[in-house]
Amino acid sequence: MADNIQTPQAPEYIDDNIRHLSDMEHVRTRPGMYIGRLGDGSLPEDGIYVLLKEVIDNSIDEFKMNAGKRIEIDVEDHLRITVRDYGRGIPQGKLIEAVNVLNTGGKYDSKAFKKSVGLNGVGVKAVNALSSHFKVASYRDGKVRTATFECGKLQTDTTEDSNDETGTYIYFEPDNTLFKNYQFHDDIVETMLRNYTYLNTGLTIMYNGRRILSRNGLEDLLNDSMTVEGIYPIIHMKGEDIEIAFTHTNQYGEEYHSFVNGQHTTQGGTHQSAFKEHIAKTIKEFSGKNFEYGDIRNGLVAAIAVNIEEPMFESQTKIKLGSLTMSPDGVSVNKYIGDFIKQEVDNYLHKHSDVAEVMLQKISESEKERKAMAGVTKLARERAKKANLHNRKLRDCRIHFSDAKNDRKEESSIFITEGDSASGSITKSRDVNTQAVFSLKGKPLNSYGLTKKVVYENEEFNLLQAALDIEDGLDTLRYNKVIVATDADVDGMHIRLLIITFFLQFFPDLIKKGHVYVLQTPLFRVRNKRNKVRNKKIVQEIDEKRAKGERRSDYVTIFCYSDEERLKAIENLGPDPEITRFKGLGEISPDEFAHFIGPDMRLEQVTLHKNDQVQKLLEYYMGKNTMERQNFIIDNLVIEEDLPEEEE
């Protein structure tokens, strides 16, 4: 038998297989190398926002060099963007190379851009390559040189006299063949722009005619972002190349906002780690008590921004700092931040005894609570270890068992679902490399108003916390996206609210940092025979897939997430369609589920802002005011009149 087995023939490998890609072709062929994920703009990390950031970073660098204090940004129809700064303008003789040739830029010379974000000579070139239309104009020396491109290819290049202020103008429209059905979302763009102004006091950004600016830097950031009040006034300090702001609140956990050279490092890095270490160490030494660092930082809300010469990031998207030194031949990041905090924070606490007293009281209360539930904590940890997570509750993804787990953490996600049928369907259809599944048993506990002791005494929450690995904060969070996947009915909504309440109570930073999402699943499946479909475009797409050898059913199926989509599908698919109403996730087969948790997965991000009045909402809907809610329901109950009987 073995003698009859034929070894597959290796494909031919000849000179024609060796290709050279131009700079722009390479960016378009491998966009993920330059901007990370593509996406449709529904999430802050989607590629279109990286494109915008790359353009704005150049304008911010001009501001940092004291060249231009105003940036104008306009978004047209959520699709096209113009950015105009009033800096020095790109040197006109190298304008084309600056936006079209990789590894070309003015930031390799640290004298011109000493502490810049963009040092790789890549950013705006990627924007050009990945835009269907791109235009750049440089105003300087009484002239304007303008160049236009399509998909990175030069179309026009002109130079004219001009009396306009010096600076750079860039227009770009992301290529919709790469960024499918994309849109710029106003709230995501505005958050990005506000962060720029917090870090650059004196800068004015005009966004679609609205003025955005900050007078107090990181203090404004905390005031605008905190969802609970600080227990003492925000402590705000500035030094050369460093700025910090912090306070304690009566919420659980820790919350950090960190930046390097104006770049929001959402995954932290060496600067954030140094801040956490030294703020706890300094407060401990000031107190003269043997506080644990965890108790000192419990409830801490803080922001840190540093300027580093030639920073090193762990990816092109620059969301985690890897630099160990403040400059190639300078002091270490850890020592620089530690020395600043030791001197400034210690001096502040000695001068402001009232603030110090409130702070130490908060730390003592955190210590007391931790010690009170020490026994429960130990037992819960042992129970979590003994519980076979990988078989009982958690079906993990493979990246956590490979050398690539850190490199691919951004891709990782975990679905939190309820019931065996739903978790079974997701488990069978998921991407086992990057998607994990955690299965709840029934409705979880309403944790509102309870102490953190509930985390350890409740089996479901204890095992969920262990699966996420967030007991000591988000630094060890194992998944970038925590996705709540429940049925689209009343019970499913209730379970969803109970899970989110748990996160809001004990791990609010998980939501604030944008890690929590709700999975949108279809309500209807509408299908019809191919020969009855009215929409010619749909038929053409089917024929094209058949021509490529893909197996296609005689049925054309459209999954609908709303009644509006259902009606449109019926119109497109023609007479007598078969319509299925999904009542729960368990009714969706694994083959169908693969459509909903793949590249086109629809997610709704759970957000938390200062004006959301979360505590009031939680108290009303999740608190013990049963009669108040009952009266509200009674007062607002709509009773339909009896419908007339149908005529025979």
Side-chain angles (χ1 to χ4, degrees):
M1 290 287 292
D3 293 338
N4 295 329
I5 298 176
Q6 296 183 353
T7 303
Q9 187 86 19
E12 190 177 34
Y13 186 44
I14 58 177
D15 290 346
D16 291 342
N17 295 123
I18 307 298
R19 296 176 57 202
H20 170 74
L21 298 177
S22 70
D23 288 347
M24 296 294 98
E25 287 175 329
H26 192 270
V27 177
R28 290 183 63 81
T29 303
R30 297 286 186 268
M33 291 178 58
Y34 299 91
I35 65 165
R37 57 171 286 145
L38 292 175
D40 62 1
S42 57
L43 305 177
E45 64 264 30
D46 285 348
I48 60 171
Y49 301 111
V50 178
L51 301 185
L52 176 58
K53 183 187 75 66
E54 295 290 359
V55 174
I56 297 176
D57 281 348
N58 291 335
S59 299
I60 295 295
D61 287 335
E62 287 295 294
F63 171 81
K64 286 181 176 293
M65 299 300 295
N66 297 313
K69 295 185 177 181
R70 185 171 85 259
I71 304 173
E72 297 168 356
I73 299 167
D74 293 286
V75 181
E76 182 184 349
D77 298 331
H78 303 287
L79 301 174
R80 297 170 286 277
I81 290 189
T82 59
V83 178
R84 172 68 156 101
D85 69 37
Y86 295 88
R88 294 165 294 180
I90 300 172
Q92 292 177 351
K94 293 289 186 178
L95 181 67
I96 303 301
E97 291 89 337
V99 300
N100 201 48
V101 179
L102 294 184
N103 306 315
T104 302
K107 301 174 187 176
Y108 298 107
D109 179 5
S110 62
K111 294 179 182 179
F113 290 93
K114 189 176 181 181
K115 298 179 177 70
S116 169
V117 171
L119 292 171
N120 299 329
V122 172
V124 78
K125 291 83 169 175
V127 182
N128 186 359
L130 301 176
S131 296
S132 55
H133 297 89
F134 180 91
K135 179 179 179 180
V136 59
S138 173
Y139 298 86
R140 55 188 290 163
D141 304 323
K143 295 185 179 296
V144 55
R145 185 178 181 185
T146 305
T148 62
F149 300 80
E150 292 182 1
C151 300
K153 295 180 180 179
L154 181 64
Q155 303 297 310
T156 64
D157 178 10
T158 61
T159 301
E160 300 173 330
D161 292 335
S162 173
N163 294 322
D164 286 359
E165 293 182 60
T166 60
T168 301
Y169 166 97
I170 286 180
Y171 163 92
F172 70 96
E173 182 177 346
D175 188 346
N176 60 15
T177 66
L178 299 171
F179 304 94
K180 305 287 188 182
N181 302 314
Y182 78 89
Q183 278 195 337
F184 285 96
H185 289 251
D186 183 75
D187 57 336
I188 296 177
V189 174
E190 185 163 340
T191 297
M192 179 193 302
L193 301 184
R194 288 197 180 279
N195 282 339
Y196 278 117
T197 60
Y198 295 136
L199 301 166
N200 298 279
T201 53
L203 171 68
T204 296
I205 293 181
M206 298 300 297
Y207 174 48
N208 286 345
R210 304 197 303 272
R211 185 187 305 273
I212 301 175
L213 55 84
S214 169
R215 303 187 188 281
N216 302 302
L218 295 184
E219 183 180 350
D220 287 342
L221 185 153
L222 292 192
N223 275 321
D224 291 346
S225 63
M226 287 169 53
T227 55
V228 294
E229 294 293 325
I231 62 175
Y232 54 83
I234 293 171
I235 299 173
H236 183 209
M237 298 168 171
K238 285 186 179 182
E240 184 179 358
D241 294 326
I242 185 171
E243 179 181 359
I244 65 172
F246 66 93
T247 185
H248 278 83
T249 68
N250 285 320
Q251 67 182 24
Y252 285 100
E254 308 166 35
E255 181 180 333
Y256 300 98
H257 307 264
S258 64
F259 303 85
V260 175
N261 296 8
Q263 167 65 34
H264 190 187
T265 43
T266 55
Q267 290 188 6
T270 53
H271 60 319
Q272 182 171 304
S273 298
F275 176 85
K276 291 176 61 176
E277 173 190 346
H278 290 289
I279 195 70
K281 182 178 180 181
T282 298
I283 294 173
K284 179 177 180 178
E285 291 177 354
F286 169 82
S287 72
K289 298 181 179 180
N290 192 29
F291 287 133
E292 290 194 6
Y293 283 1
D295 295 330
I296 294 172
R297 294 196 299 253
N298 184 41
L300 185 68
V301 179
I304 177 171
V306 293
N307 293 321
I308 294 179
E309 187 175 337
E310 299 183 18
M312 299 295 294
F313 296 94
E314 295 193 3
S315 69
Q316 172 61 21
T317 50
K318 304 168 187 170
I319 57 176
K320 186 174 184 179
L321 180 68
S323 296
L324 297 177
T325 59
M326 296 296 290
S327 64
D329 56 352
V331 67
S332 74
V333 170
N334 188 284
K335 177 173 171 49
Y336 184 86
I337 294 174
D339 288 348
F340 176 81
I341 291 176
K342 169 62 178 174
Q343 178 175 332
E344 299 298 328
V345 175
D346 185 70
N347 287 345
Y348 182 94
L349 293 177
H350 276 96
K351 292 178 181 178
H352 298 82
S353 57
D354 55 337
V355 172
E357 183 179 351
V358 174
M359 179 188 295
L360 297 182
Q361 178 63 30
K362 163 65 178 175
I363 296 169
S364 296
E365 291 171 358
S366 295
E367 179 185 56
K368 189 179 299 183
E369 181 180 355
R370 175 182 56 79
K371 289 181 176 180
M373 58 185 208
V376 176
T377 303
K378 183 178 179 180
L379 290 173
R381 286 175 177 168
E382 292 175 355
R383 192 165 67 238
K385 288 180 181 179
K386 290 179 181 179
N388 191 340
L389 291 178
H390 303 291
N391 291 329
R392 241 182 102 194
K393 291 287 183 185
L394 175 68
R395 297 170 178 88
D396 212 346
C397 50
R398 289 176 179 169
I399 64 168
H400 288 121
F401 308 101
S402 71
D403 294 334
K405 63 182 179 181
N406 292 324
D407 296 333
R408 301 193 66 187
K409 184 178 178 180
E410 287 184 59
E411 303 175 49
S412 65
S413 59
I414 181 170
F415 295 96
I416 303 175
T417 189
E418 185 270 329
D420 294 335
S421 57
S423 63
S425 292
I426 296 179
T427 300
K428 291 177 182 177
S429 55
R430 64 176 172 145
D431 178 352
V432 295
N433 293 308
T434 60
Q435 294 177 327
V437 182
F438 184 91
S439 178
L440 293 168
K441 183 179 180 181
K443 288 186 179 180
L445 179 71
N446 179 3
S447 59
Y448 179 72
L450 303 178
T451 67
K452 200 173 183 180
K453 186 178 179 182
V454 69
V455 176
Y456 302 101
E457 291 184 330
N458 181 270
E459 182 181 26
E460 298 292 307
F461 286 151
N462 182 34
L463 296 180
L464 176 58
Q465 174 188 266
L468 298 177
D469 196 11
I470 53 176
E471 179 181 357
D472 297 319
L474 298 192
D475 287 349
T476 52
L477 176 64
R478 301 178 77 240
Y479 310 95
N480 189 38
K481 290 187 176 67
V482 179
I483 303 170
V484 181
T486 59
D487 292 346
D489 59 12
V490 174
D491 284 337
M493 178 66 75
H494 190 200
I495 294 171
R496 181 188 307 175
L497 291 177
L498 290 168
I499 296 171
I500 293 175
T501 298
F502 167 66
F503 289 145
L504 287 171
Q505 279 285 100
F506 304 112
F507 306 102
D509 209 26
L510 191 67
I511 292 177
K512 289 184 179 181
K513 292 296 184 183
H515 292 291
V516 180
Y517 300 82
V518 173
L519 177 66
Q520 301 297 306
T521 52
L523 299 176
F524 305 97
R525 178 183 60 211
V526 183
R527 66 180 183 177
N528 208 347
K529 290 283 188 178
R530 176 181 173 277
N531 58 9
K532 291 184 178 181
V533 175
R534 288 193 180 119
N535 192 307
K536 293 181 179 179
K537 183 179 179 181
I538 295 176
V539 175
Q540 182 180 355
E541 290 175 355
I542 296 170
D543 290 339
E544 288 175 354
K545 290 182 178 180
R546 280 180 171 166
K548 294 178 183 178
E550 296 184 27
R551 293 182 61 186
R552 304 297 301 171
S553 168
D554 285 339
Y555 282 95
V556 177
T557 302
I558 298 177
F559 296 100
C560 308
Y561 292 76
S562 65
D563 280 319
E564 291 78 8
E565 291 185 17
R566 176 180 62 85
L567 294 173
K568 186 176 180 180
I570 293 171
E571 180 181 343
N572 286 328
L573 294 188
D576 303 322
E578 176 190 297
I579 303 173
T580 302
R581 171 65 163 93
F582 294 121
K583 296 180 180 178
L585 301 184
E587 295 182 0
I588 304 175
S589 70
D591 288 341
E592 290 174 323
F593 232 119
H595 295 286
F596 317 136
I597 60 175
D600 298 325
M601 177 167 51
R602 294 195 191 185
L603 295 176
E604 182 180 353
Q605 190 173 42
V606 180
T607 59
L608 184 57
H609 303 291
K610 185 178 182 67
N611 297 326
D612 288 340
Q613 296 184 317
V614 174
Q615 290 304 316
K616 288 184 178 179
L617 289 172
L618 285 177
E619 183 179 356
Y620 184 81
Y621 290 105
M622 310 303 290
K624 297 181 178 180
N625 56 331
T626 309
M627 288 304 300
E628 188 177 349
R629 288 198 302 270
Q630 178 178 309
N631 291 334
F632 174 84
I633 294 172
I634 294 173
D635 292 341
N636 292 273
L637 184 64
V638 177
I639 302 176
E640 294 185 1
E641 295 181 1
D642 293 336
L643 297 175
E645 295 184 4
E646 294 184 0
E647 297 181 2
E648 295 183 359

